[in-house]
Amino acid sequence: MSAFFEASLEHRIGGFALEVELALDRGIGVLFGPSAAGKSLTLRLIAGLIHPQKGTIRLGTRFLLKTPGGAVLPAHKRKIGLVHQDLSLFPHLTVLENVAYGLRRNVRAAGYWLEKMRLTGVENRYPRQLSGGQQQRVALARALAPRPELLLLDEPFSALDGPLKRSLRRELKELQRETDIPVLYVTHQIEDVCALGSTVFLLRSGRIVRSFPVEELWQAGSQASTWPALGWGTLIRGKVVQRAGGTWLSWTGGSLELPAMSVEQGAAVAFVPPREIKILYPDLPVDPQLAVNLIEGRIVERYVVGHTCTLYVDGAGLHWHIEYPADSYTDLRLEEGSSVRIGVRPAAVSLLTPQDTEKTGSSD
């Protein structure tokens, strides 16, 4: 049986070519990949904000796009909700007016979604008067109020702190189950993949290189197959221990202090994003936030793509993936074979858990 949503898209902008195929049933599909992989472009093509040179999009029994020579529905007729990373709330409209905007000013229907999103009492405030969590809820309410058949989310929680982000992820999962609207969620954060997705789509350089059910991440043998397929960041399998007044992740070869949190001791998997691993200058004082987690290593691979330099460093028994702007560290000898010292802030280390065991966090 065909999936509820299917898309096959080809589009070229300058020297960047996007060719993706997606199939999603009811649930949350996570489109995961590094920066500049084409994630946001994919959403804009699906939403109808950009027309691809070639492609097909089917939503239920409706063809939204069929080229060449077929249907091309404009964005406002596609029945697709879209939440941008910057939320794009109307600053001159109140919360109620923002949510009612897509309902032809139907205040009663907007009130239903305000109550559902726990926004009762802030109806007459403007976006600038809201907390970060409240702004996220207004954006979701506005996108869901017209009852779309597909919801597209472009890293909506990326600017939020951990507890609030975890709270909103749980709310999003509950909303999806309740409304049964399929969601395509864009992220470059591995914890979103683990906590949200029913299906994972790995996007690299404009191509879907693999798709799989999120449960596969937690099956036996995934360390040797699925996790490396993510191809981005540093994954650490070790054990959480309490020592020296803090919480640490320990593995054969080294350890990292973790951010202050309530977590059980025992076997654990952690992730460090490439941009959160900092290269240290040998003759300068070390940032106190980095000083607790220092690693000596050797550069085994270095390459530059566009404005980003990528390093792979062997150290403390791990293969560290590091990214930084190509115009940074120009006065350091960062060549293959060179020794290097790196540091990781405790707050940059994310402990990963299957989505059904994600810990409760505070909201707002």
Side-chain angles (χ1 to χ4, degrees), residues 9-13 16 18 45 50-55 65 67-68:
L9 303 166
E10 296 183 21
H11 192 67
R12 181 179 292 273
I13 298 178
F16 181 80
L18 180 82
L45 291 168
I50 301 175
H51 294 305
Q53 279 97 23
K54 182 179 178 182
L65 175 74
T67 64

Side-chain angles (χ1 to χ4, degrees), residues 5-238:
F5 164 72
E6 292 182 338
S8 177
L9 303 166
E10 296 183 21
H11 192 67
R12 181 179 292 273
I13 298 178
F16 181 80
L18 180 82
E19 294 184 20
V20 298
E21 292 193 5
L22 299 165
L24 180 65
D25 276 314
R26 309 291 181 174
I28 300 178
V30 175
L31 188 60
F32 173 80
S35 299
K39 303 186 298 295
S40 296
L41 175 60
T42 299
L43 292 198
R44 292 172 68 83
L45 291 168
I46 294 170
L49 303 180
I50 301 175
H51 294 305
Q53 279 97 23
K54 182 179 178 182
T56 301
I57 302 175
R58 181 183 57 78
L59 188 56
T61 59
R62 299 185 303 124
F63 276 95
L64 313 184
L65 175 74
K66 199 172 185 180
T67 64
V72 181
L73 283 182
H76 68 278
K77 292 187 177 180
R78 295 197 176 190
K79 295 185 179 180
I80 293 177
L82 173 62
V83 177
H84 297 278
Q85 185 174 2
D86 63 3
L87 305 183
S88 299
L89 298 176
F90 299 118
H92 62 290
L93 299 182
T94 66
V95 168
L96 180 61
E97 291 167 338
N98 263 281
V99 176
Y101 186 84
L103 299 171
R104 298 182 179 180
R105 312 292 180 174
N106 187 332
V107 173
R108 182 175 181 180
Y112 167 81
W113 283 99
L114 291 176
E115 182 178 354
K116 193 171 196 60
M117 297 301 297
R118 297 195 291 129
L119 292 166
T120 303
V122 300
E123 298 92 333
N124 297 317
R125 294 185 188 176
Y126 292 91
R128 66 180 180 276
Q129 298 172 312
L130 303 177
S131 68
Q134 289 171 331
Q135 291 179 12
Q136 300 287 336
R137 292 188 176 93
V138 174
L140 283 172
R142 187 178 65 181
L144 287 167
R147 303 283 182 175
E149 294 181 5
L150 175 68
L151 181 61
L152 306 177
L153 303 177
D154 192 357
E155 303 198 59
F157 306 151
S158 61
L160 302 178
D161 61 22
L164 178 54
K165 184 183 298 185
R166 289 192 291 272
S167 176
L168 286 169
R169 280 198 300 242
R170 287 193 303 276
E171 291 181 33
L172 176 61
K173 287 190 291 185
E174 292 168 3
L175 276 170
Q176 194 286 317
R177 285 192 289 263
E178 187 175 337
T179 62
D180 202 30
I181 297 171
V183 175
L184 187 59
Y185 185 103
V186 158
T187 188
H188 67 274
Q189 298 179 333
I190 190 67
E191 57 266 33
D192 288 339
V193 175
C194 300
L196 275 174
S198 53
T199 303
V200 182
F201 303 97
L202 303 183
L203 183 66
R204 286 190 217 140
S205 302
R207 304 289 191 278
I208 301 291
V209 296
R210 187 172 178 184
S211 62
F212 55 89
V214 72
E215 291 83 4
E216 190 173 312
L217 290 172
W218 309 104
Q219 293 172 355
S222 65
Q223 181 178 8
S225 57
T226 307
W227 281 107
L230 295 176
W232 185 77
T234 302
L235 189 77
I236 309 170
R237 290 181 178 270

Side-chain angles (χ1 to χ4, degrees), residues 309-346:
C309 183
T310 297
L311 296 183
Y312 287 96
V313 173
D314 281 350
L318 296 175
H319 198 55
W320 302 87
H321 177 189
I322 304 169
E323 291 180 353
Y324 58 87
D327 58 359
S328 299
Y329 304 116
T330 54
D331 52 346
L332 286 180
R333 183 173 173 268
L334 299 178
E335 302 172 356
E336 293 179 3
S338 299
S339 297
V340 67
R341 189 165 62 149
I342 58 178
V344 181
R345 295 180 303 112

Side-chain angles (χ1 to χ4, degrees), residues 236 251-256 294-298 313-320:
I236 309 170
W251 67 93
T252 302
S255 62
L256 290 177
L294 300 180
I295 298 105
E296 302 284 344
R298 183 177 64 87
V313 173
D314 281 350
L318 296 175
H319 198 55
W320 302 87

